[in-house]
């Protein structure tokens, strides 16, 4: 079974809610919902950063979106960008291929860009995205570059600040990831039987 890192984050978000909307999570895991405006803007910002070269900028553009800067800052983005990788896990006797794509790689550090209206470091630290990325990419150091944005108009955003947040590999991280994957597989067996069937047919 192929599982993306974003699938796991969606599952964990649902799991933490007292009244999680199971139907909404299933739709999301089946890729049935169109991307929201927030997601489209985030994708455009990622693309603009991926294509940016060294230099001074007052604004970035991509996919028809414009992002203007409201501050002076130096953002160091490694040269290796948009790197995809896979890693096999064996969970309860089942094979799972975890798939992840990071925004940049430098040595044993991976970077991920995020855009948000309000910087909430606890939300990022609690996620498992960084843990899986460190494991999949065999890295030790994870860095978020969090862009705080404000929508000014149609496809026009103001970037008010960039926050850097970092985490490191720790003993037992792999086991923590495997425990989450085990719970995810149990959810899939009940709510997404077609994915379980695909797994059995491929065996």
């Amino acid at each position: 079974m192929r599982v993306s890192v974003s699938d796991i984050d969606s599952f964990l978000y649902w799991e933490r809610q007292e009244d999680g909307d199971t139907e909404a999570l299933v739709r999301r895991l089946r890729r049935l919902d169109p991307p929201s405006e927030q997601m489209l803007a985030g994708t455009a910002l990622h693309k603009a950063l991926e294509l940016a070269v060294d230099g001074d900028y007052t604004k970035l553009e991509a996919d028809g979106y414009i992002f203007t800067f409201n501050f002076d800052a130096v953002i160091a983005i490694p040269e290796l960008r948009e790197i995809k990788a896979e890693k096999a896990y064996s969970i309860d006797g089942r094979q799972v291929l975890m798939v992840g794509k990071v925004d940049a790689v430098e040595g044993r550090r991976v970077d991920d860009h995020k855009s948000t209206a309000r910087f909430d470091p606890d939300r990022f630290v609690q996620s498992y995205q960084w843990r899986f990325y460190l494991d999949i990419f065999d890295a030790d150091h994870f860095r978020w570059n969090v862009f705080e944005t404000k929508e000014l108009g149609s496809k026009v955003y103001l970037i008010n600040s960039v926050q850097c947040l970092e985490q490191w590999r720790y003993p037992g991280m792999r086991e923590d990831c495997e425990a989450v994957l085990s719970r995810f597989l149990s959810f899939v067996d009940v709510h997404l039987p077609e994915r379980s069937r695909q797994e059995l047919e491929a065996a």
Side-chain angles (χ1 to χ4, degrees):
M1 181 186 301
R2 288 172 65 89
V3 179
S4 73
V5 173
S6 59
D7 284 346
I8 295 298
D9 257 12
S10 297
F11 168 70
L12 286 174
Y13 178 79
W14 168 84
E15 208 178 41
R16 291 185 186 116
Q17 308 304 303
E18 289 186 5
D19 238 351
D21 187 338
T22 304
E23 186 179 336
L25 174 61
V26 170
R27 281 200 313 272
R28 184 164 191 174
L29 294 175
R30 285 177 172 152
R31 314 288 192 265
L32 295 179
D33 292 334
S36 65
E37 166 59 24
Q38 185 182 20
M39 292 166 69
L40 291 172
T43 300
L45 179 58
H46 277 69
K47 185 174 182 179
L49 292 167
E50 178 192 354
L51 299 177
V53 297
D54 288 346
D56 297 327
Y57 295 91
T58 57
K59 71 176 182 180
L60 292 171
E61 297 182 58
D63 295 340
Y65 284 82
I66 298 173
F67 304 92
T68 57
F69 292 88
N70 193 31
F71 60 98
D72 291 324
V74 176
I75 305 169
I77 301 175
E79 301 245 335
L80 282 176
R81 301 176 189 178
E82 294 294 315
I83 309 297
K84 189 174 182 179
E86 300 174 343
K87 187 166 188 173
Y89 291 73
S90 179
I91 306 296
D92 306 324
R94 303 164 68 175
Q95 297 302 306
V96 178
L97 191 63
M98 284 299 301
V99 183
K101 186 167 74 172
V102 295
D103 292 310
V105 175
E106 184 168 82
R108 295 182 68 84
R109 190 191 84 208
V110 294
D111 284 26
D112 194 51
H113 306 318
K114 293 290 185 188
S115 59
T116 181
R118 185 178 66 84
F119 179 50
D120 179 359
D122 289 341
R123 180 167 64 89
F124 291 108
V125 171
Q126 287 175 8
S127 82
Y128 265 66
Q129 186 181 52
W130 64 272
R131 295 172 173 88
F132 275 105
Y133 280 154
L134 288 181
D135 201 40
I136 293 171
F137 284 85
D138 194 26
D140 296 322
H141 181 189
F142 188 92
R143 186 177 78 180
W144 287 277
N145 301 309
V146 184
F147 294 77
E148 283 191 300
T149 62
K150 178 182 179 182
E151 186 174 5
L152 298 180
S154 178
K155 296 190 175 185
V156 179
Y157 287 81
L158 178 69
I159 298 177
N160 287 310
S161 71
V162 179
Q163 308 285 341
C164 286
L165 182 64
E166 300 175 290
Q167 287 293 321
W168 283 264
R169 173 185 291 275
Y170 60 87
M173 185 187 75
R174 169 82 181 210
E175 288 76 13
D176 286 348
C177 291
E178 290 175 341
V180 169
L181 264 179
S182 179
R183 299 201 305 274
F184 179 78
L185 291 182
S186 296
F187 179 90
V188 167
D189 288 342
V190 174
H191 299 285
L192 293 115
E194 71 275 15
R195 288 183 72 168
S196 291
R197 283 198 298 273
Q198 288 172 356
E199 176 191 3
L200 291 172
E201 289 167 4

